[in-house]
Amino acid sequence: MTASVGLLSTLVGVALALTVLAPVLLLVLLYRDWKGDRLW
Amino acid sequence: MKSVQDAILDPTIGWTILGLFSLLWIALGWYWGRHAKELDDYVLAGRRVGLALGTATAMATWVTSNTTMAAPQLALQLGIWGMLGYSLGSVGLLMFAPLAKRIRRLMPSGYTSGDFIRLRYGNTAWRVFLGISLFYSLGWLVSMGMAGGILIHALTGIPYHFGMSVILAICVGYTLLGGFRAVIGTDFIQAILILTGVVIIAGLAIDRVGFDTIHGALEQQRPELLNLLMPAALMFLFNNLLFGVGEIFHSNVWWSRAFAFREGVGARAYMLAGLLWAPIPIVAGFIALAVPSLGINVPAADMVGPMVAADILGVGGAVLVLIMVFAALSSSLDSLLAATSILLTEDIYRRHFRPQASSAELRRASAWIIVGLGALTWLLCAPRVTTLAELLYFTGAFVASTIWPIAAGLFWRRANPLAAVAGMVLGSAAGLWSYFAIGFYVAALVGAAVSMTCVLLGAWLAPDRFEWSRLQETHPQGEVP
């Protein structure tokens, strides 16, 4: 059973999209913690 | 076939980048650690770390040589399941989320995972556990020191020993100056650098080579990498899942964070870190699948990641790779140095030799131990005796045998001390046997299965009646809770 090009591109594409979102989310959380004086 | 034996970057550029980032980490370490005079401030960042820094430090620490070096290596050896298997390393972070919450509640004054094992199961289990945990920590430290040297050499031509020495010296330097606050603060910046770098490299690989070309070349030259039923890869998948769970459940790197996060943050931080980490090995490992289409000759499997990235991206890309991997390795090395130093300070120095030591004395001891750990890691990295994945998976048998004693001990009064010892010893032995007799991809699987059998049998035949209040301990002399 061989992975098709569609499966490969979907797998990597979804992973890439999630990885793009991660730094944005971290920066938003950092701003919220900083505003709420909960950084550390 | 062409060989990318020659470094892409001029050594001068390499030294400049290493120098600039080294100065930045050292300066930040000094700045964040300048007020950390007390033990809790120095080793646990005052136990008040918030969600953003907590999530980033868990994620960045778990992005190690795994994603930068070994994920591409495994993708090249095991194909699609190699990438997915690495991705399942996130299950460890996700499963640790409820444990982090319980650890913080049961042990608000705790310092180490060793504290828990000692109080929960007694001294024999504690010493067995310390042996496993310290062996694993050293293995991880050495694998990352080696990764630093190999990668810097592959990208810049700077000799292995120089690159490895620089990365170790810098991490020791800023961890020493700033303690856990420096570790967590730099981890946030390093997380952003890693994520940005991974996205750019994979994005450009897709743009310049394309899925169709990569898939076509794989079908012709390495069809086994597209095989969804490769038996060794499927075993690796489950093995890696258990390996990741074992690494996280037992290691003081993750326990120290559970103690350091403010009340209510631990579970959310670990859950979010797991979700954000899961796609990274897929994105980082994918670039190795471009090897057949690029016609690159890979002389050593653990060099495939930087070689492909440099081949696709040229000089500018190689600079980016160097920065990203320097961040990935630093974020894990600093965490390991800090967590292992407090493990040695609390469980060896204080509990074995200086039970009356004051908070100030323990803080000083912790700093000296960071220096000693750095020196020992350097000595073990110098010969470069094995490949990264081999070194990493050798420890799998040991860490997987701790999963059940830890999880059962945290949630189940019936978990029995003798069974916990048997689980760790017999699980490690069986895992090691399978490592040599079958292969690296089953060591954790066998270790966890044997350990589980021991713990469950022990709780069934001779159940304990543990009182959770026994996990509460007083702080060292002079420390204010």
Side-chain angles (χ1 to χ4, degrees):
Chain A
M1 192 174 161
T2 303
S4 65
V5 66
L7 177 69
L8 183 67
S9 58
T10 304
L11 178 71
V12 177
V14 170
L16 191 60
L18 291 172
T19 312
V20 170
L21 284 177
V24 179
L25 182 64
L26 285 176
L27 289 168
V28 169
L29 287 175
L30 186 77
Y31 178 74
R32 283 183 46 185
D33 278 358
W34 176 67
K35 288 288 280 182
D37 198 22
R38 295 188 301 264
L39 215 49
W40 57 17
Chain B
M1 298 281 271
K2 55 189 169 177
S3 175
V4 192
Q5 294 279 18
D6 299 325
I8 301 301
L9 290 174
D10 187 277
T12 314
I13 300 176
W15 280 118
T16 307
I17 293 168
L18 292 182
L20 287 174
F21 274 91
S22 301
L23 279 176
L24 176 66
W25 303 145
I26 294 277
L28 289 173
W30 168 80
Y31 180 75
W32 283 323
R34 68 196 189 286
H35 298 310
K37 305 296 180 207
E38 296 296 327
L39 183 67
D40 273 17
D41 252 349
Y42 188 66
V43 302
L44 293 175
R47 301 181 193 261
R48 290 185 301 274
V49 177
L51 182 62
L53 293 174
T55 304
T57 188
M59 202 202 73
T61 300
W62 204 219
V63 176
T64 65
S65 48
N66 289 13
T67 47
T68 56
M69 307 278 281
Q73 176 183 345
L74 265 293
L76 190 67
Q77 291 170 335
L78 299 173
I80 287 184
W81 283 124
M83 291 151 47
L84 285 171
Y86 249 111
S87 179
L88 286 183
S90 64
V91 173
L93 288 172
L94 296 171
M95 287 181 68
F96 194 70
L99 272 68
K101 183 179 179 183
R102 188 154 174 85
I103 289 165
R104 188 75 164 78
R105 192 159 65 81
L106 290 177
M107 303 178 69
S109 305
Y111 285 95
T112 68
S113 49
D115 279 342
F116 168 74
I117 296 288
R118 174 174 49 81
L119 294 167
R120 179 66 181 84
Y121 292 128
N123 286 349
T124 306
W126 176 45
R127 292 196 171 102
V128 171
F129 176 81
L130 282 180
I132 291 173
S133 197
L134 291 172
F135 175 69
Y136 163 79
S137 299
L138 211 53
W140 194 7
L141 273 169
V142 171
S143 78
M144 282 186 300
M146 283 169 48
I150 293 166
L151 187 94
I152 291 168
H153 174 67
L155 285 170
T156 67
I158 294 172
Y160 166 79
H161 288 92
F162 286 0
M164 180 267 290
S165 304
V166 166
I167 197 157
L168 279 176
I170 296 312
C171 290
V172 167
Y174 74 79
T175 307
L176 185 67
L177 283 170
F180 205 54
R181 225 178 274 269
V183 170
I184 285 182
T186 52
D187 274 0
F188 188 90
I189 302 169
Q190 288 154 354
I192 301 292
L193 288 172
I194 293 161
L195 289 164
T196 308
V198 166
V199 164
I200 291 174
I201 292 165
L204 287 177
I206 294 166
D207 184 55
R208 300 206 179 156
V209 186
F211 284 116
D212 288 329
T213 310
I214 291 172
H215 189 269
L218 282 171
E219 266 189 326
Q220 284 187 346
Q221 298 174 39
R222 301 286 303 275
E224 74 276 11
L225 299 185
L226 293 170
N227 183 1
L228 295 176
L229 296 174
M230 192 196 282
L234 288 171
M235 293 296 279
F236 166 76
L237 191 104
F238 291 106
N239 188 72
N240 200 55
L241 190 153
L242 287 169
F243 184 21
V245 173
E247 280 181 290
I248 291 179
F249 274 30
H250 94 281
S251 172
N252 197 49
V253 166
W254 312 101
W255 280 70
S256 61
R257 279 161 175 73
F259 294 127
F261 294 166
R262 69 174 60 225
E263 189 73 43
V265 162
R268 284 186 296 151
Y270 275 105
M271 189 65 73
L272 198 50
L275 294 174
L276 297 183
W277 188 90
I280 298 176
I282 297 172
V283 177
F286 160 72
I287 63 166
L289 297 183
V291 164
S293 53
L294 292 170
I296 299 173
N297 177 34
V298 182
D302 55 3
M303 284 174 65
V304 63
M307 284 176 60
V308 173
D311 189 81
I312 292 172
L313 307 176
V315 174
V319 170
L320 181 69
V321 173
L322 183 61
I323 292 170
M324 181 191 80
V325 175
F326 190 44
L329 293 166
S330 305
S331 65
S332 306
L333 269 169
D334 62 6
S335 298
L336 255 178
L337 284 168
T340 311
S341 90
I342 183 60
L343 189 69
L344 286 166
T345 306
E346 165 73 2
D347 291 89
I348 304 292
Y349 181 79
R350 180 183 176 207
R351 298 290 171 187
H352 282 86
F353 302 109
R354 298 278 299 165
Q356 302 304 320
S358 67
S359 163
E361 181 183 337
L362 293 172
R363 190 211 175 286
R364 279 195 304 277
S366 171
W368 278 110
I369 288 170
I370 289 171
V371 177
L373 270 175
L376 180 61
T377 306
W378 187 91
L379 284 172
L380 293 172
C381 284
R384 196 189 161 180
V385 289
T386 183
T387 73
L388 297 176
E390 278 171 7
L391 182 67
L392 208 60
Y393 280 94
F394 186 75
T395 60
F398 295 92
V399 300
S401 73
T402 65
I403 295 174
W404 277 85
I406 294 268
L410 267 171
F411 288 97
W412 206 18
R413 287 181 199 278
R414 294 165 64 97
N416 162 328
L418 187 62
V421 174
M424 289 189 280
V425 173
L426 298 178
S428 297
L432 265 188
W433 172 82
S434 65
Y435 177 94
F436 290 109
I438 305 170
F440 76 93
Y441 45 85
V442 291
L445 207 60
V446 172
V450 170
S451 174
M452 178 185 77
T453 308
C454 292
V455 171
L456 293 181
L457 268 179
W460 179 48
L461 296 174
D464 198 12
R465 293 281 181 269
F466 187 76
E467 287 300 324
W468 299 118
S469 59
R470 283 166 54 194
L471 292 174
Q472 307 250 351
E473 270 193 319
T474 54
H475 276 62
Q477 192 183 349
E479 187 72 24
V480 180

